[in-house]
Amino acid sequence: MPRLIYTLLIYLLLPVAPLRLLWRGMRQPEYRRHWRERFGFFKTPVTKPVIWMHCVSVGETRGAAPLIKRLQQRYPQYQILITHATPTGREAGEQLFGDSVLRCYLPYDTRGAVARFLGHFQPRLGMLMETELWFNLIAGCKTRDIPILLVNARLSAKSAQGYARLGRLAGNGLRQLTAIAAQTMQDAERLQSLVAAHGHSLPVEVTGNLKFDVTPPPEASAQGEALREHFGRTRPVFLAASTRDGEEAMILDAVAAAKLPQLLTVIVPRHPQRFDEVANLLTRRGIHFLRRSKLSQAVPANVEVVLGDSMGEMFAYYAACDAAFIGGSLQPLGGQNLIEASAMSKPVLVGPHTFNFAAATEMAIAAKAAWRVQDVADLARALQRLFGDPELRQSMSWKALEFSASAGGATQRIADLVSRYLPDR
């Protein structure tokens, strides 16, 4: 009965979906492409048995990269299918894997669309990344005897409260999963509690965070060197990475309060549809800035900000900076992944709101690879301290690299879990 009600609600909302795609397509035209896939209609040819992984957007796609590459090596007789929910996730998959994987959008969670998706691709095994629970999709896999795993699973206290309000719908959905690989013991306990509330148990393995296994691409250092040449070798560079709505103004306030001579601030918004919005903010404030997409020579001394309006260059941005702030954390949005910055040996600053990456953030802070700031004034003080002390920056850089290398192994553990349901032969 709970899933029936859930399904009816989805069908009631379904007529709004095309309007939403059109509206989002006004800001990001890619939303108007491949729209039939969202309703379960696919033209992608399938020539081998399929291993399927759902990666919602950019972060999940990048985080899954080590596991996908490991599966490609172990199971060459299979095709890897990656499904996405956003155009940026799809673009990240294309940049990372080219034509070596299949890509499409995961359809809306109606029974008909799910049946068409599973019927077309006929996956031998499916994996959902992090906290993606689509109840008709899970039930469809269960009906067809397709092993379905929740991997790199994380569940913040806030998200656990939200799923708890769904009652038996969430509990039954979790119980229908074949296996769960959680990032931390806290994530495992929260997942188990959703099922225990209805008198059942749920075996969950703690395998660690896949994102710790992300290796910077070979070209990242060279790209970063080229960027740094543009920024200036002797000029201090502060990177504000994956910023979200409202944070750019706060960062500019902090930079102004820090009063650091010649500081170049590089702002890379999380979502490409906000590039023009941030450019307008900089214009309104009278700040001299250049867009990364227009950068072909050295940044003039009077330019205060470079707007990172490019995709697929985050590792290069990290390589080219002296210290990085990770966005989504000054506003109550849960933060973003700080592991990529640590893997590039950069001191990291985060705001007070990191509940989506709580364990990794606390580990980085404990390792003295990262600092937490509470507000704009605190960020300004942190910038003054970091850019006023080169030895401190170097110490944090070494500790960041040690931290990123110390917590790996999730790829191997999850690959071993997959092998229980998908033997090599």
Side-chain angles (χ1 to χ4, degrees):
M1 183 59 70
R3 191 160 65 88
L4 176 61
I5 296 171
Y6 163 82
T7 302
L8 289 173
L9 287 173
I10 289 180
Y11 275 113
L12 287 173
L13 292 171
L14 202 59
V16 181
L19 298 177
R20 180 173 172 77
L21 290 175
L22 285 171
W23 179 78
R24 300 198 74 169
M26 293 175 66
R27 301 180 67 187
Q28 195 173 353
E30 291 83 0
Y31 271 98
R32 298 198 297 266
R33 300 182 60 201
H34 309 292
W35 62 268
R36 286 173 58 84
E37 294 177 355
R38 297 183 185 272
F39 295 89
F41 298 99
F42 303 93
K43 295 181 179 180
T44 308
V46 179
T47 58
K48 295 181 180 179
V50 167
I51 300 172
W52 154 56
M53 175 174 281
H54 180 54
C55 303
V56 181
S57 194
V58 177
E60 293 81 6
T61 305
R62 288 178 179 163
L67 178 60
I68 291 170
K69 291 174 182 176
R70 181 71 59 86
L71 295 176
Q72 287 177 318
Q73 293 169 357
R74 181 177 287 191
Y75 302 102
Q77 70 274 33
Y78 287 86
Q79 287 180 300
I80 305 293
L81 166 68
I82 309 177
T83 56
H84 305 282
T86 68
T88 51
R90 190 170 184 144
E91 183 178 350
E94 184 174 359
Q95 290 173 344
L96 286 167
F97 305 109
D99 294 331
S100 70
V101 304
L102 305 177
R103 284 180 299 277
C104 70
Y105 288 122
L106 188 71
Y108 298 122
D109 199 30
T110 64
R111 293 181 179 180
V114 165
R116 288 189 289 273
F117 168 74
L118 296 177
H120 180 83
F121 291 105
Q122 299 183 30
R124 302 297 175 87
L125 178 138
M127 286 171 280
L128 307 175
M129 278 281 286
E130 301 198 357
T131 51
E132 284 296 300
L133 297 180
W134 298 103
F135 302 110
N136 284 326
L137 179 66
I138 293 169
C141 290
K142 182 76 171 178
T143 300
R144 292 171 180 249
D145 292 324
I146 300 169
I148 179 79
L149 318 180
L150 184 64
V151 302
N152 216 44
R154 62 181 174 91
L155 192 67
S156 67
K158 183 178 180 180
S159 296
Q161 292 173 358
Y163 277 116
R165 285 193 286 270
L166 297 177
R168 290 189 179 277
L169 179 65
N172 290 339
L174 286 168
R175 286 176 58 211
Q176 289 183 314
L177 291 166
T178 307
I180 300 177
Q183 291 185 18
T184 68
M185 183 59 70
Q186 291 81 3
D187 294 313
E189 290 171 351
R190 291 181 188 126
L191 287 161
Q192 288 168 330
S193 69
L194 290 176
V195 177
H198 304 288
H200 300 282
S201 62
L202 180 70
V204 182
E205 298 183 29
V206 178
T207 55
N209 190 342
L210 275 174
K211 293 178 181 178
F212 277 105
D213 290 342
V214 170
T215 303
E219 66 275 11
S221 294
Q223 291 174 346
E225 286 291 313
L227 263 183
R228 189 62 193 235
E229 284 293 332
H230 290 312
F231 294 162
R233 285 289 174 188
T234 60
R235 191 172 182 181
V237 178
F238 168 54
L239 171 66
S242 297
T243 56
R244 305 281 292 276
D245 190 13
E247 289 188 317
E248 292 87 6
M250 300 171 74
I251 288 161
L252 293 172
D253 289 342
V255 168
K259 297 180 180 179
L260 295 167
Q262 296 301 308
L263 181 70
L264 179 65
T265 301
V266 181
I267 298 178
V268 184
R270 171 73 171 172
H271 299 116
Q273 61 267 34
R274 297 191 57 248
F275 292 160
D276 290 342
E277 176 186 330
V278 177
N280 291 335
L281 169 66
L282 294 167
T283 300
R284 289 196 305 272
R285 291 202 173 198
I287 293 173
H288 295 286
F289 75 97
L290 285 176
R291 288 176 177 261
R292 165 68 182 103
S293 58
K294 305 294 184 182
L295 191 59
S296 58
Q297 56 188 4
V299 175
N302 69 327
V303 169
E304 305 162 72
V305 173
V306 170
L307 173 57
D309 62 342
S310 62
M311 295 293 295
E313 288 194 304
M314 190 55 74
F315 279 108
Y317 285 122
Y318 286 131
C321 77
D322 296 303
F325 169 80
I326 309 300
S329 60
L330 273 178
Q331 296 283 2
L333 300 168
Q336 304 291 343
N337 176 25
L338 53 68
I339 298 166
E340 292 180 356
S342 299
M344 294 304 291
S345 189
K346 299 300 174 178
V348 170
L349 301 174
V350 296
H353 307 288
T354 56
F355 51 82
N356 284 335
F357 296 88
T361 302
E362 293 305 322
M363 289 169 63
I365 292 172
K368 298 183 179 180
W371 291 349
R372 188 186 298 281
V373 299
Q374 297 300 325
D375 51 29
V376 169
D378 205 12
L379 176 57
R381 287 190 290 270
L383 291 175
Q384 289 174 334
R385 187 178 172 195
L386 269 178
F387 284 95
D389 190 340
E391 291 185 3
L392 174 61
R393 284 203 313 275
Q394 185 61 65
S395 174
M396 287 187 70
S397 295
W398 288 334
K399 289 171 181 175
L401 194 59
E402 291 173 359
F403 157 70
S404 68
S406 67
T411 298
Q412 184 60 52
R413 289 188 282 273
I414 295 175
D416 291 342
L417 177 64
V418 168
S419 69
R420 299 178 204 169
Y421 307 99
L422 195 72
D424 291 354
R425 294 288 180 267

